[in-house]
Amino acid sequence: MKIKCLIIDDEPLAINVIKSYIEQIEDLELINTFSNSIEGLNFLKNNTIDVIFLDINMPVLDGINFIKSLENPPLLIITSAYDQFAIETYELDVLDYLVKPIEFPRLMKAVNKINKRLNNTTKTPQENSKENPFIFVKIDKKKMKKIFLNEILVIESLKDYLKISTTSGKFIIHSTLSDFTSLLPERDFIRIHRSYTIAIDKIDAVEGNSIEIEGLRYVIGRSYIDEVKQKILNSSI
């Protein structure tokens, strides 16, 4: 089932940018757009939405007071040209805060947060245990690739890009290793070097300061080695 989205923003250009991004992500469905928050409130009275992309500075009713007026708010992603409202909105349980101009990789990071939150809140633990979690990554200008987390072997930093090695292939994406690692569950993945994050369950052997995965060795960085070995031991039966 697709994630139902709403855009509320008084800038037509901003609406068009976010709309174009949503159209590229197959998990998202844009239900409607509004140029003021009053119209958005009226729409929400009779319609169910999963997530709202919401501007702060709007006439009549600004984004912050709009949020405060909601009894059972959906997930909220702030899209603002100003960053000074970030602390105040996070206190209102906003999921993410995107500063304009918004680039596609940054919006994708927010989308992955949406997927993670919905998976955690809309399903029982038993259902979650059967879930096959995934993440969407942009592999070229027009194509989004779904990658199942249980297929990831190694994520390698290539300066401004990453190489994601999986059981079904290898993919190059534009991201930093820190940003991508932050999206992965800590219990399943660990950073072992400034250039590598690995899937713990894919480790075949540990020898000295290196890890072996599918016949390839990866060096554990000196500053990571104690934490890595401790986490590997803790993950063992």
Side-chain angles (χ1 to χ4, degrees), residues 9-205:
D9 198 313
D10 65 341
E11 301 177 27
L13 178 59
I15 289 178
N16 289 336
V17 168
I18 299 172
K19 180 180 178 181
S20 69
Y21 290 163
I22 289 175
E23 289 172 347
Q24 297 180 58
I25 305 170
E26 65 176 22
D27 266 15
L28 303 187
E29 179 183 4
L30 181 61
I31 302 301
N32 215 330
T33 68
F34 297 104
S35 59
N36 70 75
S37 52
I38 300 298
E39 292 178 347
L41 278 177
N42 291 332
F43 179 82
L44 289 172
K45 290 177 181 178
N46 301 305
N47 296 275
T48 301
I49 293 293
D50 297 310
V51 59
I52 301 176
F53 292 89
L54 177 69
D55 189 18
I56 292 290
N57 289 327
M58 289 185 290
V60 186
L61 182 67
D62 64 40
I64 291 174
N65 285 305
F66 170 85
I67 295 171
K68 292 178 178 179
S69 71
L70 299 175
E71 292 186 6
N72 296 298
L75 297 181
L76 298 162
I77 305 292
I78 297 299
T79 58
S80 175
Y82 309 96
D83 59 6
Q84 65 262 36
F85 304 108
I87 294 176
E88 183 176 0
T89 56
Y90 277 125
E91 291 174 351
L92 297 172
D93 197 29
V94 165
L95 184 63
D96 208 344
Y97 194 106
L98 310 184
V99 179
K100 301 172 182 176
I102 301 167
E103 296 185 352
F104 189 81
R106 182 64 185 87
L107 184 127
M108 273 308 307
K109 186 174 181 179
V111 171
N112 287 322
K113 287 183 180 181
I114 293 168
N115 279 315
K116 189 173 183 180
R117 177 71 70 86
L118 291 177
N119 285 337
N120 287 337
T121 58
T122 62
K123 298 177 181 178
T124 66
Q126 184 176 9
E127 287 172 326
N128 275 328
S129 68
K130 298 177 181 178
E131 180 86 9
N132 190 3
F134 57 85
I135 191 169
F136 275 98
V137 298
K138 189 174 185 179
I139 59 175
D140 60 36
K141 290 183 178 180
K142 295 184 178 181
K143 186 174 183 180
M144 302 296 300
K145 174 67 178 177
K146 178 189 285 186
I147 296 180
F148 290 101
L149 299 191
N150 63 5
E151 293 184 357
I152 295 177
L153 302 170
V154 178
I155 304 106
E156 179 181 356
S157 175
L158 304 172
K159 292 187 177 179
D160 295 330
Y161 293 84
L162 296 179
K163 179 171 72 174
I164 304 174
S165 298
T166 75
T167 56
S168 58
K170 297 179 180 181
F171 310 96
I172 302 295
I173 69 168
H174 187 275
S175 181
T176 66
L177 188 59
S178 295
D179 284 347
F180 191 82
T181 301
S182 70
L183 300 174
L184 303 173
E186 291 184 7
R187 69 182 183 277
D188 300 323
F189 294 87
I190 187 168
R191 189 165 179 175
I192 65 167
H193 190 277
R194 65 182 182 180
S195 297
Y196 301 107
T197 291
I198 58 97
I200 296 173
D201 69 338
K202 300 302 190 298
I203 297 173
D204 295 318

Side-chain angles (χ1 to χ4, degrees), residues 194-234:
R194 65 182 182 180
S195 297
Y196 301 107
T197 291
I198 58 97
I200 296 173
D201 69 338
K202 300 302 190 298
I203 297 173
D204 295 318
V206 181
E207 183 178 352
N209 67 336
S210 68
I211 283 174
E212 181 178 332
I213 298 177
E214 295 208 337
L216 297 177
R217 287 192 175 274
Y218 301 90
V219 174
I220 305 173
R222 186 175 300 175
S223 61
Y224 296 85
I225 194 161
D226 291 339
E227 180 185 355
V228 170
K229 289 192 173 181
Q230 185 63 44
K231 191 165 185 177
I232 291 172
L233 286 173
N234 291 340

